[in-house]
């Protein structure tokens, strides 16, 4: 399918065929995960375009359950890595172990060799350990000794992060934050949602293990279709203007320049286009609208904009400033 020559009707049919598993997958996850539909969509968006997610939220919001359930439903290997201050990079990627019987070193793969990785409390570990995972995310490979090993495909990381004001944390530098396609902030469930959680999980009985309903091959086929979705020049210009408005907001009629220390990088531009395509795919369309881009923009930009001390003094964080840019920037 090519975006330039494909008949619109045919293009929609291709998208419907490639995305037929999306709604059944959402429904099945909803049996285990209550009230986190936005998180599920962000997981699917990142999976479609080979992105990774940084997830921030208080303990007990089913972050592990979300990724573990998704891994079971797509028949993917899942590993959870608990980050701690005494970790070493080898605890993630693996190491060489000497075998005295054969008088040689052999490689032992670390837990990063899986399709879905939950990097729990990533900011509990020092920078060199964080970097080991982020290198794997970027390069889709790791080096152990003198050998380089490709990571499984698909390879997706969901990293959770504690609030930075807690003691014993190592905040991710801006350059490392930029490696994450999205930063998603989880909130508490509503009263009705928590009632459903109580009905579902308020028992000592084990929940049945989710059974696979979509193959990794189907996900790869969906990725190919996502890459071919039509992205109009006006939408591309909207993406570029959105990112530039975080660098020179006055040029776009958004007067927040004194509040921004560092704007979003070109990687944000690329990720907005990718996430916009995936959002359109999840909604069964063969073309990307400005609404698709705006729907994912806060998650793509919130961790890429650094605020000034003046903004902090006024109680403004990057999320509030990005929201203001999105609200005031004209939509084509």
């Amino acid at each position: 399918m090519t975006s330039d020559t494909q008949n619109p009707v045919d293009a929609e049919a291709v998208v419907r065929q490639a995305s037929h598993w999306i709604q059944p997958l959402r429904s099945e996850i909803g049996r285990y995960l209550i009230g986190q539909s936005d998180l599920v969509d962000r997981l699917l968006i990142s999976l479609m375009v080979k992105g990774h997610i940084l997830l921030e939220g208080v303990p007990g919001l089913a972050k592990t359950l979300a990724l573990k359930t998704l891994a079971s439903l797509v028949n993917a290997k899942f590993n959870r890595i608990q980050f701690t201050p005494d970790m070493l990079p080898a605890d993630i990627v693996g190491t060489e172990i000497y075998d005295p019987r054969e008088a040689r070193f052999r490689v032992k793969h670390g837990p990063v060799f899986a399709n879905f990785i939950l990097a729990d409390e990533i900011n509990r570990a020092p920078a060199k350990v964080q970097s080991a995972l982020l290198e794997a995310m970027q390069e889709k490979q790791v080096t152990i000794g003198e050998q380089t090993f490709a990571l499984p495909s698909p390879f997706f990381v969901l990293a959770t992060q504690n609030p930075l004001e807690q003691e014993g944390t190592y905040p991710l530098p801006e350059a490392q934050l930029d490696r994450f396609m999205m930063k998603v902030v989880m909130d508490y469930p509503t009263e009705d949602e928590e009632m459903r959680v109580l009905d579902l999980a308020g028992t000592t009985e084990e929940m049945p293990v989710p059974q696979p309903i979509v193959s990794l091959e189907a996900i790869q086929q969906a990725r190919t279709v996502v890459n071919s979705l039509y992205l109009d020049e006006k939408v591309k210009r909207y993406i570029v203007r959105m990112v530039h408005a975080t660098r020179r907001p006055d040029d776009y009629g958004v007067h927040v320049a004194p509040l921004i220390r560092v704007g979003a990088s070109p990687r944000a531009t690329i990720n907005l286009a990718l996430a916009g395509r995936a959002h359109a795919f999840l909604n069964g369309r063969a073309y990307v609208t400005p609404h698709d881009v705006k729907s994912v923009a806060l998650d793509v930009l919130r961790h890429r904009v650094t605020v000034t001390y003046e903004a902090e003094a006024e109680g403004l964080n990057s999320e509030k400033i990005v929201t203001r840019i999105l609200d005031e920037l004209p939509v084509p």
Side-chain angles (χ1 to χ4, degrees):
M1 179 172 119
T2 60
S3 57
D4 295 329
T5 61
Q6 184 79 11
N7 181 286
V9 176
D10 294 340
E12 296 286 350
V14 170
V15 171
R16 284 196 301 271
Q17 174 62 29
S19 63
H20 71 277
W21 51 270
I22 295 292
Q23 194 52 48
L25 185 66
R26 283 171 169 160
S27 299
E28 191 66 16
I29 291 179
R31 293 181 54 203
Y32 299 84
L33 189 69
I34 305 299
Q36 299 292 351
S37 58
D38 286 345
L39 172 60
V40 171
D41 280 355
R42 271 31 183 185
L43 291 174
L44 292 175
I45 286 172
S46 295
L47 184 60
M48 289 295 96
V49 293
K50 302 182 181 181
H52 306 283
I53 290 179
L54 179 63
L55 184 61
E56 188 170 290
V58 298
L61 295 183
K63 298 182 284 289
T64 303
L65 178 63
L67 190 60
K68 190 173 183 179
T69 301
L70 180 60
S72 296
L73 292 174
V74 302
N75 199 24
K77 184 179 179 182
F78 167 84
N79 275 339
R80 177 179 176 273
I81 305 173
Q82 179 64 54
F83 281 67
T84 58
D86 59 346
M87 284 185 74
L88 297 173
D91 295 325
I92 296 175
V93 301
T95 188
E96 289 185 318
I97 298 177
Y98 184 72
D99 187 341
R101 291 174 298 180
E102 299 184 8
R104 67 180 182 88
F105 285 93
R106 60 183 178 86
V107 172
K108 180 181 179 182
H109 288 172
V112 76
F113 284 87
N115 299 113
F116 287 12
I117 302 294
L118 176 67
D120 207 7
E121 298 183 303
I122 188 174
N123 61 334
R124 289 286 184 195
K128 64 180 180 180
V129 179
Q130 296 174 5
S131 298
L133 178 64
L134 294 167
E135 180 182 6
M137 290 162 50
Q138 182 70 18
E139 305 296 334
K140 305 295 190 298
Q141 64 182 29
V142 296
T143 300
I144 304 173
E146 296 182 352
Q147 300 182 64
T148 299
F149 300 90
L151 293 170
S153 181
F155 179 70
F156 171 69
V157 173
L158 175 67
T160 69
Q161 178 172 273
N162 288 324
L164 298 182
E165 64 269 20
Q166 290 190 2
E167 294 183 3
T169 59
Y170 302 82
L172 275 72
E174 286 83 357
Q176 295 186 355
L177 284 172
D178 200 36
R179 303 292 182 182
F180 288 95
M181 181 179 201
M182 294 181 176
K183 179 182 178 183
V184 179
V185 178
M186 290 184 72
D187 201 358
Y188 289 109
T190 65
E191 184 176 319
D192 289 341
E193 289 169 349
E194 200 149 353
M195 285 289 290
R196 293 170 58 199
V197 171
L198 183 58
D199 291 338
L200 179 67
T203 174
T204 58
E205 294 183 4
E206 294 288 335
M207 285 284 290
V209 177
Q211 297 302 309
I213 62 173
V214 61
S215 66
L216 295 178
E217 291 75 14
I219 291 175
Q220 186 57 51
Q221 292 171 3
R223 284 177 167 180
T224 302
V225 175
V226 169
N227 287 333
S228 69
L229 298 193
Y230 179 66
L231 188 62
D232 190 80
E233 287 296 320
K234 291 181 179 179
V235 180
K236 290 180 183 178
R237 181 65 62 182
Y238 178 53
I239 291 172
V240 172
R241 288 171 63 86
M242 187 182 291
V243 174
H244 276 247
T246 69
R247 304 171 192 165
R248 299 189 306 275
D250 287 343
D251 293 354
Y252 300 90
V254 186
H255 302 297
V256 293
L259 306 176
I260 297 177
R261 181 162 62 90
V262 180
S265 73
R267 190 178 279 115
T269 307
I270 297 169
N271 284 336
L272 278 170
L274 291 172
R277 278 192 164 107
H279 189 273
F281 178 83
L282 291 186
N283 288 277
R285 279 181 282 101
Y287 57 91
V288 182
T289 68
H291 174 72
D292 290 316
V293 176
K294 194 170 183 178
S295 296
V296 299
L298 180 58
D299 293 325
V300 173
L301 294 175
R302 60 158 54 100
H303 58 299
R304 292 185 161 96
V305 174
T306 306
V307 301
T308 62
Y309 294 116
E310 179 180 345
E312 293 176 351
E314 295 180 17
L316 297 173
N317 57 21
S318 61
E319 182 166 336
K320 293 179 180 178
I321 293 172
V322 170
T323 299
R324 181 171 169 183
I325 291 173
L326 297 176
D327 289 342
E328 297 185 17
L329 188 69
V331 179

